[in-house]
Amino acid sequence: MQIEHDRQIYHQRNVVERMFCRFKDWRRVATRFDRNIKTFMATIAIAAFVTWWL
């Protein structure tokens, strides 16, 4: 029995989940090493850029 689902929404959700898995490879982001929110958000931006660049 197949469950009905919206393929587009499922694909978008999968993309977001894969991005979070890639962030977990960055120890600094995964453990929230930076306690300052500006530094933490900058680290996430750098991680996102490097992850999508490769």
Side-chain angles (χ1 to χ4, degrees), residues 23-33:
F23 280 157
K24 288 180 183 179
D25 291 339
W26 290 65
R27 180 182 169 268
R28 186 178 200 103
V29 174
T31 59
R32 187 137 189 227
F33 187 75

Side-chain angles (χ1 to χ4, degrees), residues 4-17:
E4 294 183 23
H5 66 283
D6 187 353
R7 292 180 67 83
Q8 185 177 8
I9 291 174
Y10 182 79
H11 176 72
Q12 291 172 351
R13 178 177 169 231
N14 189 11
V15 169
V16 171
E17 287 182 4

